[in-house]
Amino acid sequence: MDDKTNPNVDRVSHESPPEPYTAETGGRRSSIALNIVQNPLTRASHAQVVHDAQTYAETHGLGELSALFGRAALVARDPDGFERLQELDETERAALIFERDHKWNNPFMMWYSIGLCAVGAATQGWDQTGSNGANLSFPEEFRINNGTGRDQWLVGLINAIIFLTAGLIGAFIVDPLNKYLGRRGEIFLTAICLTATPIGSGFAKSWQGLFAARFIMGIGIGAKNATVPIYSAEMSPHRIRGALVMFWQLWVVTGIFCGFAANVIVKDTGKISWRLQLGSAFIPSFILMCGIWFCPESPRWLMKNGKHAKAYQSMNKLRAHPIIAARDYYYSYVLYNEELKITGGSNYFSRLRDCFTVPRIRRANYGASTVMLAQQMCGINIISFYSSTIFTEVGYTPTQALYASLGYGAIQMVFTVPTLFLIDTKGRRTLTLITFPLMCIFLLAAGLSLLKTEGSKGARIGPVVLFVYLFTIMYSLGEGPVAFQYSAEVFPTIQREQGMAWVVCINNTFAGILSLTFPRMSAVMTPTGAFGFYAGLNLIAWGMIFCFVRETKQLTLEEIDQVFSVPTKEFLAYETGTWLPYFIKRHILRRKIEKPPPIIGKDQAMGDYTPDKREPVFNEKI
């Protein structure tokens, strides 16, 4: 990666370890990290790196490409210095320069694969909003609309069950499905499930039948939610991985908008309107089911399963030039071998245990679990699940409520687009830290606006809708796009399925709890009390993000290992002792002071600095 693309990068000396940032050093050093993992390719000589790469190619069915792999290994050894390599021919050097200067230049198959996976994400958003509109009529159809505590719990359970089964069942069958079917096969199977179950929901004859269809749908959603972001992350170039993986969230909100649009389109169809609202969610899954087999399999999955020749061929389809494909693939293989040295012989349960016991993975788990939990703590899904109900309670007619909900969906979709360009420049952590306090303010204001009973209908409803929309804008610029994107990239290759399964479990289970409890909470606490409760949770979520979420922008999946090599104690000491004082002085007190260096610099992430006599990262104490 070119240092010009990362403004937070400061170069460090190769001769001496970095000094902590203090007033005395004045920021002369670029890092205060004490535990750094070295790029394994820098441990060997120039000639040895070439020999090892050629030997790998010759012994894994890629003998005709051995010379290419030798040159690619040298590029991976020093990514910023490839122009000095005499071994590269002019075509290869030009391709690498073009890639560096035109980060959005990728082959058609890359865009097709990412786009198709993104379309699959629309299923979840479409179903959320389909049930949002259906809530206005299916309780009457099944005679569970009497306002009793039992009926309120039943409506909440029917809405919540897809998220409860997604988190508690679907997320944890990801590993065996991926192992035996591959990423593509698993996505195909879940697409079949998510095509059939919305149609089944539309034909339900009782609330029990509707519950059963949504129970099975949840299993498919959980399995898909854990695999598709991983698949996208494993295919994406690191410089734009955040934006490409974020297509997941963009299409979730596109699905939300399409679901609301479908609700409006079928609103005048009488008693079957709720059936059409629920059943229409099959459309994006059907597209995914038909298109997934034209995508290449994940190169990292093929490599992990010993299919090295196919893995390189797959990577070559996803990169603009063979030298780029060979560089990315071989570096992934080298890093994967380093992981195997530590976790070789592990099984499903030991890899899951690693997510809580191995320090580097545990810290990643802290961060991913935090952003996933924060997505539910912020309260966005009380709007996604129940906006039509909320708007009718403040005075809108059902038709007006559907149109107001459509506006909510449109705002969420439109304001997710700017984050495509911000997430890899401003960063994941920065976006969430900025937006959560504003989300708290707007959600609290929306709740207080519900108390207004005097004046015209517009004067009562207008402030509620306004603050809900402002809250949605802040969510779309921060937490919404970040949660799944961040979680898909922070776990090592070996533990990626288990780590993603765990955080998807957290996300969907708490979404289910939210959906289950809101109808009863709204009745007992009033809507204002419920909104105020979630506004308070926004502040708690901000504190959790400050403590546990680390920046990962513009790093390869493998370089992220180095970000989480810094013990939590040192990370928190830096954040509270260096970054927070700087932020207060610079942005609140408006003093012109020098920006402190990041806790870990790019050179260290690439392995330029090798600490001597350091405890191995996987044995660090937190």
Side-chain angles (χ1 to χ4, degrees), residues 80 89 157 166 346 360 459 463 488 512 539 556 564 591 597:
D80 295 329
D89 62 39
L157 182 61
S346 61
R360 175 263 180 265
L539 291 183
T556 68
F564 291 100
R591 297 180 185 174

Side-chain angles (χ1 to χ4, degrees), residues 123 290 360 420 604:
T123 299
C290 294
R360 175 263 180 265
L420 286 170
Q604 293 165 290

Side-chain angles (χ1 to χ4, degrees), residues 380-424:
I380 188 66
N381 281 333
I382 65 176
I383 312 298
S384 294
F385 300 157
Y386 295 108
S387 64
S388 297
T389 303
I390 293 169
F391 291 144
T392 56
E393 288 179 354
V394 298
Y396 272 176
T397 66
T399 297
Q400 290 171 331
L402 289 176
Y403 277 109
S405 295
L406 178 64
Y408 157 78
I411 284 175
Q412 196 169 2
M413 181 175 68
V414 169
F415 283 92
T416 297
V417 174
T419 318
L420 286 170
F421 306 97
L422 295 174
I423 198 166
D424 282 321

Side-chain angles (χ1 to χ4, degrees), residues 41 66 109 116 120 151-152 264 274 313 324 342 413 426 461 464 501 531 537 566-567 595 615:
L41 294 174
S66 61
M109 186 54 67
L116 188 68
D151 288 353
Q152 290 165 352
V264 171
W274 70 268
Q313 293 167 8
I324 300 173
I342 299 167
M413 181 175 68
K426 299 301 182 183
I461 297 173
V464 178
F531 273 50
L537 291 185
V566 180
K595 184 177 180 179
E615 186 179 13

Side-chain angles (χ1 to χ4, degrees), residues 135 138-139 144-161 164 207 211 386 511-525 534:
N135 284 332
F138 88 78
I144 53 175
N145 64 331
N146 294 324
T148 63
R150 173 184 177 274
D151 288 353
Q152 290 165 352
W153 283 113
L154 280 178
V155 172
L157 182 61
I158 291 170
N159 281 299
I161 192 59
L164 294 175
W207 74 259
F211 175 87
Y386 295 108
I513 293 172
L514 183 151
S515 183
L516 174 65
T517 57
F518 185 75
R520 187 59 180 165
M521 179 186 290
S522 181
V524 174
M525 299 175 59
Y534 282 104

